[in-house]
Amino acid sequence: MARSGVGTTSGITLLQLKYFVEVAVEGSISAAADLSFVSQPTMSAAMKDLETRVGRTLFTRSARGVTLTEDGAEFLGYARQVVEQAELLEQRYLGRPRSRRLLAVSAQHYSFVVDAFVRMVNASDAAEYEFTLRETRTWDIIEDVRTLRSELGVLYRNDFNRNVINKLLRESGLTFNPLFLAAPHIFVARTNPLANRERATLADLENLPRLTFDQGANNSFYFAEEILSTLSSKQNIRVSDRATIFNLMIGLGGYTISTGIISDDLDPSITAVPLDVDERIEIGWIGHTSVPLTDQARGFVAQLRDVVRDFGVELLA
């Protein structure tokens, strides 16, 4: 961080840094105070003192909670490294148990993300942990990561939405990190007549209900989770969660368009059929440009890569 000549970093305590990380993750001073077993005035005073010492405003405060400023997001990257290194020292030389692991991930509705999340949790050696997985709308994923409600997000871009997504990420101080390119597939119930086809065409879908994930107030074609969102369909149903969309595939014979990567263990009643279109879906994870991932987040990304590789899909990097 550049020196401003204002404030001093002398006297910053490890406890203040731990409090700061907690507040940044929770987006609330009162919630962080509860988790840290201190009073709200104590936590608030600690954050005010920290801002005075570093000579920067680290939080924007509102009635809804707190969000990091640009300086705060940069400071968080350094603070997390210090806290993590201190915990490693305590574990190594003081015999302290591993601390509660924290990670929040926001993603579009992909079963391979759930698969990776399951692997990450199973691989965790912490006695206590608190993980969050939000399957949510495209706009909300970006907002979650921008405000550090989630450390990273998983979404797609393609030739149609790329410029809009890139602009929004850039304005939010976020970076898209490509994972893989997927050929579009339709997801249908195994009882659907198309389930045994080698390929499906757009003509095959004309009389089937199209199932899409609702994008709420930001229901732009550019934020749709499904490619070809501008094509008209005689039968449309919007849903809000993955369990519902799968139930409608079974009950109504509907379809949705996605990556083709689906876990038989998690979704045994659904299958993927290649869609005969000249399109590609680029899947990637997004994170803060200036905030390094924690060890836990890096572990999740590694699990994502392993899951995709296990499906025989070539990784981009």
Side-chain angles (χ1 to χ4, degrees):
M1 293 172 62
R3 294 179 179 272
S4 66
V6 180
T8 175
T9 57
S10 63
I12 293 178
T13 68
L14 179 61
L15 185 58
Q16 279 181 313
L17 294 180
K18 289 181 177 179
Y19 285 171
F20 172 77
V21 172
E22 199 74 61
V23 172
V25 169
E26 293 299 318
S28 165
I29 288 177
S30 60
D34 289 343
L35 289 172
S36 302
F37 303 103
V38 299
S39 68
Q40 190 273 338
T42 297
M43 182 66 75
S44 183
M47 294 301 94
K48 285 284 190 182
D49 183 64
L50 180 61
E51 289 178 312
T52 299
R53 290 179 183 277
V54 301
R56 291 168 171 79
T57 300
L58 303 177
F59 293 109
T60 299
R61 294 161 172 83
S62 71
R64 294 183 297 174
V66 297
T67 56
L68 290 171
T69 62
E70 186 175 344
D71 283 331
E74 183 182 5
F75 188 82
L76 177 62
Y78 290 98
R80 274 178 164 159
Q81 292 179 55
V82 173
V83 170
E84 286 182 354
Q85 290 301 314
E87 289 179 348
L88 288 173
L89 284 172
E90 291 177 349
Q91 293 161 20
R92 176 67 176 84
Y93 294 104
L94 300 181
R96 299 275 176 85
R98 290 185 179 272
S99 63
R100 181 182 55 160
R101 296 297 177 88
L102 295 170
L103 178 66
V105 175
S106 294
Q108 292 175 329
H109 299 77
Y110 298 128
S111 63
F112 66 85
V113 173
V114 178
D115 199 348
F117 197 84
V118 168
R119 294 189 187 189
M120 180 202 67
V121 174
N122 285 335
S124 174
D125 56 356
E128 299 180 11
Y129 56 74
E130 183 176 326
F131 299 128
T132 302
L133 175 60
R134 300 185 187 92
E135 287 191 332
T136 189
R137 299 159 175 166
T138 304
W139 176 276
D140 292 337
I141 293 168
I142 296 171
E143 275 296 288
D144 282 353
V145 180
R146 184 186 70 83
T147 60
L148 287 166
R149 185 183 185 206
S150 291
E151 190 170 346
L152 57 85
V154 182
L155 47 73
Y156 92 93
R157 63 185 184 184
N158 68 345
D159 290 342
F160 175 72
N161 71 4
R162 186 182 309 276
N163 289 340
V164 172
I165 295 296
N166 286 352
K167 181 176 184 292
L168 185 55
L169 294 178
R170 186 168 57 251
E171 292 173 347
S172 301
L174 307 179
T175 302
F176 184 93
N177 303 272
L179 282 170
F180 64 95
L181 286 177
H185 287 62
I186 58 166
F187 284 175
V188 293
R190 292 187 181 277
T191 55
N192 192 297
L194 296 178
N196 296 319
R197 291 278 194 90
E198 290 187 6
R199 302 186 71 81
T201 67
L202 292 178
D204 293 328
L205 308 178
E206 284 183 355
N207 296 313
L208 298 182
R210 180 171 66 181
L211 310 174
T212 61
F213 287 106
D214 179 60
Q215 297 299 317
N218 299 289
N219 199 28
S220 163
F221 290 130
Y222 296 109
F223 297 133
E225 289 192 36
E226 306 81 17
I227 67 167
L228 306 173
S229 58
T230 58
L231 292 182
S232 62
S233 177
K234 291 182 289 187
Q235 301 171 350
N236 277 292
I237 300 176
R238 292 193 180 94
V239 302
S240 59
D241 66 87
R242 195 155 47 86
T244 299
I245 209 169
F246 286 167
N247 286 338
L248 293 178
M249 288 177 197
I250 297 169
L252 296 179
Y255 74 92
T256 193
I257 302 175
S258 192
T259 63
I261 300 179
I262 190 167
S263 170
D264 288 339
D265 293 334
L266 295 176
D267 309 301
S269 299
I270 306 301
T271 190
V273 180
L275 183 61
D276 192 14
V277 292
D278 187 20
E279 296 274 352
R280 287 295 180 270
I281 305 170
E282 183 183 28
I283 304 291
W285 63 269
I286 61 172
H288 262 272
T289 303
S290 58
V291 180
L293 293 182
T294 60
D295 288 342
Q296 196 68 48
R298 287 195 294 271
F300 173 71
V301 172
Q303 295 288 2
L304 267 180
R305 294 171 62 85
D306 286 347
V307 167
V308 171
R309 191 182 291 111
D310 288 349
F311 276 93
V313 177
E314 183 178 353
L315 295 165
L316 290 176

